């Protein structure tokens, strides 16, 4: 397989080398200023609710172009929701009726998908809900799920990766009676802090470098680490207990979150809301699309003490060839510094060293395998360049494209598949009966040694097993995205309560855009 991939890459390099629109290969990393911990963490604002009623909310979102100075002297062209980069937080109460008016002010189509929300299929914002340039889309839905940290981002056909990379992503926070009554930090911006983790690669002129290298089709990785849109920021800690709502909003990076002094922290929530109990952890893997709410105990630190939020090194089995030589591309699995916490005890009344969390956070009703009506199997495939399936893999995809319009994307089409099929919006891959409980068995058959985070729209699921073993305690929660390692089989269970067409896909956005996505309908 290795040699086949090598041949493939050489061929595609030949073809792409005549494309003069490629930005210079020089990356900013060598010339850039030292930005480590120079920016203070920005806190995304909570979006204003235009509806006066307590049980209804109305929001206005504008998808727009922007400019950001990530570096002192350079400007980057970006996209954002209601601003230059990323978006405001949409915050609602469970049970409320929500309407969002989304105006697309870009020159290209986009969509807005409410990742993790169980909404009717017409409101889901998948690739079938394209919003044309200058058009407005106004989905409305009832929030039927528990408190949690969800998010929204584009799902534009073949463009999700690029549009998210330019800056389109925002948090969607749901509160409920339980989350409001618990003794956990909930003062937004003070002790309840969102952390959107992303990596980016910049060209020398400050512009984003998106997929200038063939290998980026395997997943776009950069060498600059952004939290809430600034490079390696710092945050001043003024309370003993801080809750962080961590979203991995990166295209392809998987983080192994930890504190630099190896201290324990507590995970209190996963993708779909609170865990039953706080789970003490020293590190936490978070793949693209996943969220975790954690509480850090800062009571033991002294005034002015500093702690770094890191991503620890982990084993990466990827069989990549050119990885070492790509400037500005830090492969997955490397030790990284993300941001810094600076403890401020002076002039705060937090000199007491107290820390506590409730023992019980919520009750999660476990879905039972015996109640399921079906076991459905999914295979995540990458590569497999053999003659047998050449007919639906890249080499033969050229039918509809002439040689000179063939882009990097076309070349890679067919590299990433589910059940050996490339995404086709007009094909329904799976049909599920409304209100059925089903077990889905997802097997990562990667030939390139790649992990694939599997995401399902329209439902929250539970993990039954990883390679027939019980999942870890912090995965015994509602989830919508699950990391599936090479050769691993993850068994999930869900109840399908919304009718219509939905997507399931790999949340490595380049894989999704290249076809690692399928359509299911609930009838
Ligand atoms: Cu967060 Cu279908 O995506
Ligand atoms: Cu989603
Ligand atoms: Cu993938």
């Amino acid at each position: 397989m290795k040699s086949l991939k090598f041949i493939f890459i050489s061929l595609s390099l030949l073809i792409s080398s005549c494309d003069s629109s490629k930005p210079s290969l020089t990356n900013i990393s060598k010339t850039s200023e030292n930005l480590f911990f120079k920016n203070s963490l920005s806190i995304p604002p909570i979006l204003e609710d235009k509806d006066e009623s307590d049980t209804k909310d109305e929001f206005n979102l504008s998808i727009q172009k922007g400019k950001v100075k990530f570096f002192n002297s350079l400007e980057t062209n970006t996209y954002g929701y209601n601003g230059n980069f990323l978006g405001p937080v949409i915050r609602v109460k469970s049970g409320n009726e929500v309407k969002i008016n989304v105006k697309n002010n870009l020159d290209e189509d986009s969509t807005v998908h409410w990742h993790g929300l169980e909404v009717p299929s017409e409101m889901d914002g998948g690739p079938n809900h394209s919003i044309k340039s200058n058009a407005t889309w106004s989905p409305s839905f009832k929030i039927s799920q528990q408190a949690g940290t969800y998010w929204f981002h584009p799902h534009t056909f073949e463009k999700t990766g690029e549009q998210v990379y330019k800056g389109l992503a925002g948090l969607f926070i749901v509160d409920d009676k339980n989350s409001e009554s618990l003794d956990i930090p909930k003062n937004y911006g003070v002790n309840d802090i969102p952390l959107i983790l992303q990596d980016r690669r910049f060209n020398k002129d400050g512009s984003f470098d998106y997929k200038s290298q063939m290998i980026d089709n395997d997943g776009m990785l950069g060498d600059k680490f952004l939290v809430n849109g600034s490079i390696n920021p710092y945050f001043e800690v003024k309370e003993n207990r801080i809750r962080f709502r961590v979203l991995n909003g990166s295209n392809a990076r998987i983080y192994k979150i930890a504190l630099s002094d190896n201290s324990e922290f507590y995970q209190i929530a996963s993708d779909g809301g609170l865990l039953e109990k706080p789970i003490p952890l020293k590190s936490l893997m978070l793949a693209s699309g996943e969220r975790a709410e954690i509480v850090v105990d800062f009571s033991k630190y002294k005034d002015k003490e500093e702690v770094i939020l890191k991503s620890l090194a982990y084993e990466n089995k990827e069989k990549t060839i050119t990885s070492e030589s790509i400037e500005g591309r830090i492969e997955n699995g490397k030790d990284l510094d993300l941001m810094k916490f600076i403890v401020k005890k002076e002039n705060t009344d937090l000199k007491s060293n107290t820390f506590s969390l409730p023992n019980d956070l919520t009750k999660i009703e476990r879905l039972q395998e015996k109640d399921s009506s079906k076991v459905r199997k999914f295979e995540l495939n990458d590569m497999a360049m053999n003659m047998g399936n050449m007919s639906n893999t890249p080499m033969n995809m050229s039918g509809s494209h002439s040689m000179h319009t063939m882009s990097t994307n076309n070349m890679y089409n067919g590299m990433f598949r589910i059940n050996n099929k490339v995404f086709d919006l007009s094909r329904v891959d799976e049909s599920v009966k409304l209100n059925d409980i089903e077990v889905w068995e997802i097997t990562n058959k990667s030939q390139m040694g790649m992990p694939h985070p599997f995401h399902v729209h329209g439902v929250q699921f539970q993990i039954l097993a990883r390679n027939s073993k019980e999942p870890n305690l912090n995965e015994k929660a509602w989830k919508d995205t699950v990391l599936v390692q090479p050769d691993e089989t993850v068994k999930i269970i869900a109840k399908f309560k919304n009718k219509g067409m939905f997507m399931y896909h790999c949340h490595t956005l380049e894989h999704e855009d290249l076809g690692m996505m399928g359509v299911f309908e609930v009838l």
Side-chain angles (χ1 to χ4, degrees):
M1 276 317 131
K2 240 182 191 165
S3 58
L4 274 169
K5 188 187 181 194
F6 183 68
I7 293 165
F8 178 71
I9 284 179
S10 324
L11 172 67
S12 38
L13 278 174
L14 265 176
I15 289 166
S16 66
S17 60
C18 43
D19 180 352
S20 57
S21 68
K22 285 272 179 300
S24 119
L25 295 187
T26 322
N27 176 266
I28 203 166
S29 45
K30 282 193 179 149
T31 49
S32 69
E33 0 166 345
N34 176 13
L35 290 156
F36 268 112
F37 315 131
K38 295 282 196 314
N39 303 299
S40 97
L41 179 75
S42 53
I43 305 289
I46 307 262
L47 187 58
E48 187 195 348
D49 168 16
K50 303 277 182 195
D51 191 303
E52 268 145 43
S53 129
D54 266 358
T55 55
K56 286 192 183 144
D57 305 300
E58 183 165 355
F59 300 100
N60 295 329
L61 269 190
S62 148
I63 314 173
Q64 58 194 55
K65 291 189 215 174
K67 285 186 192 300
V68 173
K69 281 193 167 179
F70 292 102
F71 306 93
N72 289 334
S73 48
L74 297 166
E75 225 168 39
T76 308
N77 288 321
T78 54
Y79 283 175
Y81 294 112
N82 299 7
N84 289 313
F85 191 73
L86 298 177
V89 176
I90 297 181
R91 188 156 193 177
V92 300
K93 281 195 175 52
S94 181
N96 274 17
E97 294 283 346
V98 176
K99 182 178 182 203
I100 304 148
N101 307 303
V102 187
K103 169 86 196 289
N104 180 4
N105 291 307
L106 302 176
D107 304 327
E108 60 174 334
D109 290 9
S110 193
T111 83
V112 183
H113 167 59
W114 320 104
H115 180 130
L117 293 185
E118 297 178 313
V119 301
S121 68
E122 316 81 70
M123 311 297 166
D124 185 56
N128 45 340
H129 299 124
S130 158
I131 316 167
K132 295 259 170 284
S133 172
N134 287 314
T136 299
W137 179 59
S138 296
S140 58
F141 43 81
K142 188 182 166 123
I143 305 293
S144 56
Q145 58 209 103
Q146 64 163 335
T149 305
Y150 307 94
W151 66 301
F152 56 96
H153 64 76
H155 223 296
T156 321
F157 179 61
E158 289 182 338
K159 290 226 148 193
T160 299
E162 189 181 334
Q163 293 189 349
V164 171
Y165 200 81
K166 286 181 172 167
L168 294 178
L171 290 177
F172 198 116
I173 296 179
V174 175
D175 300 303
D176 64 14
K177 293 221 169 65
N178 178 44
S179 72
E180 280 163 358
S181 70
L182 287 170
D183 176 27
I184 51 177
K186 44 189 168 229
N187 191 354
Y188 184 80
V190 178
N191 60 21
D192 180 352
I193 309 290
L195 299 178
I196 303 172
L197 308 181
Q198 298 178 311
D199 61 333
R200 292 291 182 270
R201 190 197 304 155
F202 293 88
N203 295 307
K204 246 190 355 202
D205 62 359
S207 59
F208 282 137
D209 171 352
Y210 185 69
K211 293 221 295 200
S212 65
Q213 309 294 312
M214 288 307 290
I215 192 139
D216 295 334
N217 287 287
D218 290 349
M220 184 65 213
L221 297 168
D223 63 344
K224 296 284 181 284
F225 298 94
L226 276 60
V227 185
N228 298 350
S230 24
I231 300 176
N232 296 117
Y234 67 85
F235 176 70
E236 293 191 343
V237 170
K238 294 176 180 156
E239 297 196 16
N240 285 341
R241 292 191 309 179
I242 311 278
R243 169 194 195 173
F244 296 104
R245 299 173 186 259
V246 190
L247 159 67
N248 182 348
S250 310
N251 284 38
R253 187 167 298 280
I254 300 167
Y255 300 88
K256 186 177 182 183
I257 299 301
L259 296 166
S260 51
D261 64 351
N262 203 29
S263 278
E264 252 175 18
F265 54 86
Y266 298 85
Q267 184 175 354
I268 61 165
S270 183
D271 300 337
L274 291 165
L275 303 174
E276 292 202 309
K277 292 171 187 304
I279 306 293
L281 294 171
K282 285 194 164 177
S283 69
L284 169 63
M285 292 290 276
L286 214 56
S288 169
E290 287 187 298
R291 288 87 63 211
E293 292 181 28
I294 61 172
V295 179
V296 177
D297 173 5
F298 286 101
S299 65
K300 63 176 182 191
Y301 299 102
K302 292 192 253 346
D303 186 38
K304 299 195 180 65
E305 224 176 311
E306 299 182 349
V307 196
I308 304 215
L309 179 71
K310 295 187 62 87
S311 178
L312 300 178
Y314 59 86
E315 192 190 357
N316 175 358
K317 300 190 194 114
E318 244 169 90
K319 301 180 190 77
T320 42
I321 304 161
T322 42
S323 60
E324 253 46 88
S325 57
I326 304 288
E327 205 184 323
R329 182 182 159 99
I330 297 181
E331 290 300 320
N332 260 324
K334 298 278 191 282
D335 178 281
L336 312 166
D337 287 350
L338 304 178
M339 67 174 294
K340 183 161 87 175
F341 303 123
I342 307 171
V343 178
K344 292 270 172 187
K345 290 210 166 166
E346 228 143 80
N347 307 322
T348 65
D349 9 275
L350 292 144
K351 293 181 180 151
S352 75
N353 291 352
T354 55
F355 178 86
S356 68
L357 277 175
N359 288 324
D360 297 297
L361 299 168
T362 189
K363 192 83 205 117
I364 297 175
E365 194 204 321
R366 304 299 305 174
L367 297 178
Q368 300 295 326
E369 206 169 343
K370 64 170 169 45
D371 298 329
S372 66
S373 54
K374 195 176 171 83
V375 178
R376 224 176 266 274
K377 299 196 178 194
F378 297 87
E379 263 185 35
L380 308 178
N381 317 104
D382 53 42
M383 276 297 288
M385 295 285 294
N386 60 55
M387 299 321 266
N389 62 16
M390 280 305 253
S391 56
N392 52 20
T393 44
M395 301 299 195
N396 274 4
M397 290 292 287
S398 50
S400 54
H401 310 277
S402 74
M403 217 48 178
H404 16 274
T405 61
M406 191 184 278
S407 69
T408 306
N409 272 9
N410 303 135
M411 287 301 299
Y412 260 77
N413 254 334
M415 293 281 287
F416 297 100
R417 307 173 304 285
I418 296 179
N419 288 339
N420 269 312
K421 290 177 286 183
V422 175
F423 176 64
D424 181 348
L425 187 51
S426 64
R427 181 190 67 220
V428 173
D429 297 287
E430 310 289 335
S431 285
V432 177
K433 266 196 17 229
L434 184 66
N435 288 321
D436 265 11
I437 294 174
E438 290 199 2
V439 172
W440 285 17
E441 255 183 48
I442 308 122
T443 302
N444 182 346
K445 294 256 183 176
S446 177
Q447 301 197 332
M448 289 165 37
M450 283 186 179
H452 294 293
F454 188 80
H455 168 54
V456 189
H457 285 210
V459 291
Q460 286 288 331
F461 55 75
Q462 292 174 354
I463 302 174
L464 292 172
R466 284 186 174 275
N467 280 346
S468 312
K469 288 201 257 334
E470 287 255 309
N472 291 336
L473 283 177
N474 65 320
E475 286 197 321
K476 292 194 167 185
W478 292 106
K479 295 277 296 164
D480 53 56
T481 307
V482 60
L483 182 57
V484 189
Q485 294 287 1
D487 300 320
E488 190 177 33
T489 296
V490 177
K491 243 164 105 173
I492 62 173
I493 187 165
K495 182 167 183 175
F496 295 83
K497 293 174 286 191
N498 279 300
K499 260 195 192 167
M501 260 182 42
F502 294 98
M503 310 291 141
Y504 53 87
H505 59 89
C506 174
H507 218 285
T508 297
L509 301 181
E510 287 67 36
H511 300 181
E512 174 198 322
D513 281 339
L514 288 166
M516 203 174 217
M517 176 151 66
V519 178
F520 70 100
E521 68 181 344
V522 182
L523 293 170

